[in-house]
Amino acid sequence: MIEIHNVHKAFGSLKVIRGVDLEIKKGEVLCLIGASGSGKSTLLQCVNGLEPIQQGEIQVDGISVHAKDTNLNKLRQKLGIVFQQYNAFPHLTALENVALAPRVVKRISKAEARALASKHLKHVGLGDKEDVFPSRLSGGQQQRLAIARALAMEPSYMLFDEVTSALDPELVGEVLDTLRMLKSEGMTMVVVTHDIVFARETGDRIAFFKDGRICEVGEAWQVVNAPREEHTRQFLKRVLA
C-alpha cells in the first residue's frame, strides 16, 4: 500500500501541494486529474522520493519515503515511474536500454538482464524491436519502451506522469492499451492523465486536484458522471466540452 498523510510541498514561496491525504491499495488504479499546475505530477515525484516534502509523510509498504535512514535506491525498485518524455539512451538499442538498470542496479548477469529485457519488450508489444535504436521508433513505441524499462525492475507499483501528452493523437491508443493490459494483470498504478474517458473506464478511483489540494476523490464513474463538488463539475465541463 502507498499511504500519503498530510503532505505539503513548496518550491520557495510557491505552495504546490497543500495537505494531501491518499491511500492506494494493492491492485488499485488511481487516476489523478486536474488542471496543469495543480500538483499532480509533483505528488508522483514526492512518492518516488525525487522531491523532498516540507510536512507530512509518505509510506510505501510501511517504509517512510523521506526518512533519513531510508535507502531510496532500494525503495525505488518497488516504484516504477514513467514520465512524459521517454528519456531513452539514444546510443543503446531497445534491448540494451531495458537491460541496463537490472544489470547495474540489481547486479544480475548480462545474459540474465538481456533475457529479462527481451521478456518485457515482448510484454509491451516490442518483441520485434530489440535491436532498433530509439530514434527509429515512433513516439508510441518509445513510450512503450519506457514502460518496459520500468517494468524490468519488477516493481510493485507503477507511476505514470501524463505518458500520452507528448504523443500524436493516433499513437495514444497503443500506450493506453498497454496500461489497460497492466491493470488486467493486477498492477497497482497511479496515473496522472488528462484523458478523462480513460480515467473513467480504466481507473478504479479518481482524485481531482485543484490548487494543490484534493477537491474530490471517489469511484471513477461517480467522479466523472456525478461529481459532488462544484469545482469538479466546472473542470469536467471544460475538458469534456
Side-chain angles (χ1 to χ4, degrees), residues 56-144:
E57 185 178 30
I58 300 173
Q59 290 191 0
V60 176
D61 291 343
I63 300 170
S64 183
V65 174
H66 298 92
K68 290 182 179 180
D69 59 348
T70 294
N71 184 333
L72 273 178
N73 288 331
K74 185 176 181 180
L75 182 63
R76 286 183 184 133
Q77 293 181 36
K78 290 177 172 280
L79 294 159
I81 187 165
V82 182
F83 299 98
Q84 296 178 39
Q85 301 301 322
Y86 327 121
N87 300 317
F89 291 105
H91 64 292
L92 300 179
T93 65
L95 185 75
E96 291 167 339
N97 263 283
V98 177
L100 183 62
R103 190 160 55 86
V104 173
V105 178
K106 291 192 169 183
R107 300 185 181 279
I108 66 176
S109 71
K110 184 176 180 180
E112 288 177 303
R114 289 177 68 87
L116 186 66
S118 180
K119 181 183 80 169
H120 286 292
L121 285 171
K122 290 183 175 71
H123 195 193
V124 300
L126 295 176
D128 60 340
K129 304 295 183 183
E130 290 186 2
D131 298 322
V132 176
F133 289 95
S135 62
R136 303 305 298 264
L137 298 175
S138 70
Q141 289 170 336
Q142 289 188 58
Q143 195 58 286
R144 283 186 283 149

Side-chain angles (χ1 to χ4, degrees), residues 76-234:
R76 286 183 184 133
Q77 293 181 36
K78 290 177 172 280
L79 294 159
I81 187 165
V82 182
F83 299 98
Q84 296 178 39
Q85 301 301 322
Y86 327 121
N87 300 317
F89 291 105
H91 64 292
L92 300 179
T93 65
L95 185 75
E96 291 167 339
N97 263 283
V98 177
L100 183 62
R103 190 160 55 86
V104 173
V105 178
K106 291 192 169 183
R107 300 185 181 279
I108 66 176
S109 71
K110 184 176 180 180
E112 288 177 303
R114 289 177 68 87
L116 186 66
S118 180
K119 181 183 80 169
H120 286 292
L121 285 171
K122 290 183 175 71
H123 195 193
V124 300
L126 295 176
D128 60 340
K129 304 295 183 183
E130 290 186 2
D131 298 322
V132 176
F133 289 95
S135 62
R136 303 305 298 264
L137 298 175
S138 70
Q141 289 170 336
Q142 289 188 58
Q143 195 58 286
R144 283 186 283 149
L145 169 61
I147 294 171
R149 187 175 54 193
L151 289 173
M153 294 300 290
E154 301 185 327
S156 301
Y157 308 94
M158 287 289 289
L159 313 176
F160 294 97
D161 185 11
E162 297 185 29
V163 292
T164 61
S165 64
L167 299 178
D168 293 333
E170 64 270 20
L171 301 176
V172 169
E174 64 189 67
V175 176
L176 295 183
D177 284 345
T178 302
L179 269 61
R180 293 185 184 101
M181 175 190 69
L182 293 177
K183 177 184 177 174
S184 72
E185 295 170 349
M187 175 61 75
T188 309
M189 298 189 286
V190 184
V191 184
V192 173
T193 182
H194 290 292
D195 190 324
I196 304 302
V197 174
F198 169 82
R200 179 183 62 195
E201 294 178 353
T202 306
D204 295 304
R205 288 190 300 149
I206 290 176
F208 168 59
F209 274 67
K210 180 176 173 58
D211 300 329
R213 295 184 175 92
I214 294 177
C215 185
E216 181 167 354
V217 61
E219 292 186 20
W221 67 269
Q222 173 265 308
V223 172
V224 175
N225 295 334
R228 299 187 181 97
E229 301 295 330
E230 180 62 24
H231 287 307
T232 315
R233 286 193 287 271
Q234 290 300 320

